[in-house]
Amino acid sequence: MPTTATISLQETDGPRVGARGWAALVVLMLPVLLVSVDNTVLSFALPEISTALSPSGIEQLWIIDVYPLVLAGLLVTMGTLGDRFGRRRMLLIGATGFALVSALAAFAPTPGLLIGARAVLGLFGAMLMPSTLSLLRSVFQNREQRRLAIAVWAAAFSAGSALGPIVGGLLLEHFAWGAVFLVAVPVLIPLLILAPLLVPDSRDPDPGRIDPISILLSMATMVPVVYAIKEFAVAGVTPLVAILLPIGIGAGFLFVRRQLHAEIPMLDMALFRRGMFTGAIMVNLLSVVALVGFLYYVSQHLQLVLRLTPIDAGLALIPGMGMMIVAGLGVVPIAKRVRPEILVPSALVFSLAGYLVVAFTTHAHGVAPLIVAFVLLGAGIGAAETVSNELILAAAPPEKAGAASAVSETAYELGAVLGTTILGGIITAFYRGSLAIPAGVPEAAADRARETLAGAFSAAEGLPAAAGQALRQAAADAFGTGVMVTSLIGGLLVIGAAVIAALTLGRRLGR
């Protein structure tokens, strides 16, 4: 007799779709492209934002992190709302709000207001992302077609990341940094027009109830834990870390306990009893941490240390982004013949090699080692993300597509937060600890240099030529020390993802 999980996988092998279904996929790719373009564009705009708004080191991290933090905290809630009220409806509401707030963020005059706008973008982004993956599940009921559709969907992240540096570079060459936020408007207008025509609505016939206490507990878990990690990365063990971390862990315990005892939980914890589902989620999380942490470093190194223009820095990343797309699509036929517990760890070997290239060429001043490293990293992560995303949907019952998608997107966004928080924070900590201020640098310039790498290069511009060059070299060397250590840690994360994949992705419920 087949196991429960096997039955679930067989039930998804439904009818094949025609041209209308593939047109719906194109529409659902628009918000995916938007989010990935937005993430890459912001990383490349960070040096100009730092120059224009002069954020502190912690504000600089929050400008990047507040969006995925709020988004990750609300994804499960919005996934549940989509299951109840309609996933397409949530998609359209999120698209409208995201476009409007993006236009406001483009003209933020202070770091605080930009951080606030990014937080509101996280609210509307949480409506967008679970809807795309869960609607894709309802459109593509045939598993073979769905595997290809998910590969295209995952490749859209890579394509957006590839377009981001080019689009961002062109915009930053000719306009102020605020222009990077306006990219959302022309992307979302076609979505608002075409989604009602091409994308069928879907919902869970027996959705989880709207539970305000669970919503508060989920936010009370995410925010304190991530903030504590940020604080630890910048300042070490402080009283704030000692207070926030237990609060977040306690709230997480209460959230899980409430879901387990609720008659109709907001989040069905039974999903996590499926080894394949949980393993695929962890692979997603660790892969994104490794990818985003790499991009946090490389965008600053290319523009500040190597002095490339934004457009040239974007072009340097194109081979790696292209490899992510090729690997994500190319793994589809291989996945039909090779078991995921073998395929995913094998792919992640390439990502490990990419991090080792960075670790052992830290102080090389050319672009070539970074290009090679990112090509290797992209090959592994592109393939692993396609396989793991397909397994997440295949392992979940069709009626729980919204909840499963929300958990998947939560892992993705939490990975984005932790990538900049942990790896970016480690780089910042080692940078500050290793920076030796050259003689002759005024105290005010030295204080600014200790904040961030961008602050050091900006301070160097106002110094005499010899002192400025000495400060730039000292900052580059200190940053390189942080990158070497962080790259080795990133390699360990990739190894962890490979081990989890090998142990869990072959498991079925009931085996």
Side-chain angles (χ1 to χ4, degrees):
M1 182 175 179
T3 66
T4 304
T6 304
I7 293 173
S8 175
L9 295 178
Q10 290 174 343
E11 288 175 346
T12 63
D13 194 20
R16 301 175 69 87
V17 302
R20 184 181 179 88
W22 295 107
L25 173 62
V26 173
V27 173
L28 292 175
M29 285 169 57
L30 292 175
V32 176
L33 283 168
L34 169 66
V35 170
S36 55
V37 166
D38 183 70
N39 285 338
T40 311
V41 163
L42 187 63
S43 294
F44 271 74
L46 191 59
E48 290 205 14
I49 292 174
S50 297
T51 300
L53 302 183
S54 299
S56 65
I58 194 69
E59 285 176 330
Q60 182 172 292
L61 286 174
W62 273 111
I63 287 172
I64 295 177
D65 288 346
V66 70
Y67 166 76
L69 173 60
V70 173
L71 194 151
L74 290 175
L75 276 169
V76 172
T77 299
M78 296 305 175
T80 302
L81 290 174
D83 287 345
R84 175 177 289 273
F85 297 114
R87 294 151 186 160
R88 188 181 67 186
R89 178 180 298 176
M90 295 299 293
L91 179 69
L92 296 175
I93 294 172
T96 303
F98 201 99
L100 292 174
V101 179
S102 293
L104 295 176
F107 302 100
T110 66
L113 290 176
L114 181 57
I115 291 170
R118 291 274 293 165
V120 180
L121 284 175
L123 168 67
F124 289 110
M127 299 180 187
L128 286 173
M129 296 314 297
S131 300
T132 60
L133 196 54
S134 54
L135 285 169
L136 186 149
R137 169 65 182 264
S138 65
V139 171
F140 294 93
Q141 299 178 32
N142 178 273
R143 192 180 182 195
E144 183 177 349
Q145 284 190 319
R146 187 173 66 244
R147 184 183 284 121
L148 178 58
I150 290 175
V152 175
W153 180 88
F157 275 112
S158 303
S161 299
L163 288 172
I166 300 298
V167 173
L170 289 172
L171 290 173
L172 294 171
E173 287 280 343
H174 299 95
F175 303 101
W177 60 265
V180 300
F181 289 99
L182 297 177
V183 173
V185 177
V187 174
L188 290 175
I189 288 176
L191 172 68
L192 292 170
I193 296 172
L194 296 174
L197 301 176
L198 295 174
V199 180
D201 203 359
S202 67
R203 64 186 70 202
D204 186 349
D206 187 22
R209 66 190 180 91
I210 305 303
D211 184 358
I213 296 178
S214 292
I215 293 172
L216 291 175
L217 286 174
S218 67
M219 291 296 292
T221 301
M222 295 292 299
V223 176
V225 168
V226 175
Y227 196 98
I229 294 172
K230 280 177 169 295
E231 179 71 12
F232 176 76
V234 174
V237 179
T238 65
L240 188 60
V241 172
I243 293 171
L244 290 178
L245 198 58
I247 290 175
I249 294 173
F253 172 79
L254 293 175
F255 175 81
V256 172
R257 187 171 182 270
R258 186 173 181 84
Q259 306 314 301
L260 291 173
H261 289 84
E263 184 177 349
I264 303 179
M266 188 179 83
L267 175 62
D268 186 1
M269 302 304 295
L271 289 171
F272 295 95
R273 298 193 186 106
R274 301 167 182 254
M276 185 170 64
F277 177 87
T278 303
I281 290 292
M282 290 303 299
V283 169
N284 267 2
L285 174 66
L286 294 176
S287 297
V288 173
V289 170
L291 174 63
V292 172
F294 181 90
L295 288 174
Y296 179 84
Y297 148 69
V298 76
S299 62
Q300 296 185 70
H301 186 83
L302 289 171
Q303 294 184 71
L304 296 174
V305 178
L306 299 183
R307 311 294 287 175
L308 297 183
T309 65
I311 186 65
D312 288 338
L315 290 172
L317 292 185
I318 290 300
M321 299 297 185
M323 179 54 72
M324 288 185 68
I325 298 172
V326 171
L329 294 174
V331 78
V332 173
I334 300 174
K336 298 178 183 178
R337 298 173 177 83
V338 181
R339 291 178 298 177
E341 66 269 30
I342 297 175
L343 179 57
V344 172
S346 300
L348 289 174
V349 169
F350 290 94
S351 296
L352 174 61
Y355 259 118
L356 292 178
V357 168
V358 174
F360 292 110
T361 61
T362 300
H363 295 287
H365 294 290
V367 179
L370 292 178
I371 294 176
V372 172
F374 196 31
V375 167
L376 291 170
L377 187 74
I381 290 179
E385 286 289 302
T386 293
V387 175
S388 59
N389 274 308
E390 197 277 330
L391 290 177
I392 288 168
L393 285 187
E399 66 275 8
K400 297 299 180 184
S405 302
V407 173
S408 174
E409 295 299 336
T410 300
Y412 182 91
E413 296 300 336
L414 181 58
V417 171
L418 296 179
T420 49
T421 298
I422 296 179
L423 299 186
I426 290 172
I427 289 175
T428 300
F430 272 90
Y431 166 77
R432 291 176 175 176
S434 305
L435 180 61
I437 301 296
V441 175
E443 190 61 31
D447 290 341
R448 190 173 182 188
R450 292 188 187 98
E451 280 289 328
T452 62
L453 180 65
F457 276 73
S458 177
E461 295 296 330
L463 299 177
Q469 179 58 32
L471 180 58
R472 279 191 290 267
Q473 187 60 52
D477 290 342
F479 193 70
T481 300
V483 167
M484 180 180 66
V485 176
T486 305
S487 297
L488 294 175
I489 295 173
L492 291 176
L493 292 175
V494 172
I495 292 173
V499 170
I500 290 172
L503 295 177
T504 63
L505 297 189
R507 297 177 61 187
R508 299 288 189 271
L509 189 66
R511 178 183 292 183

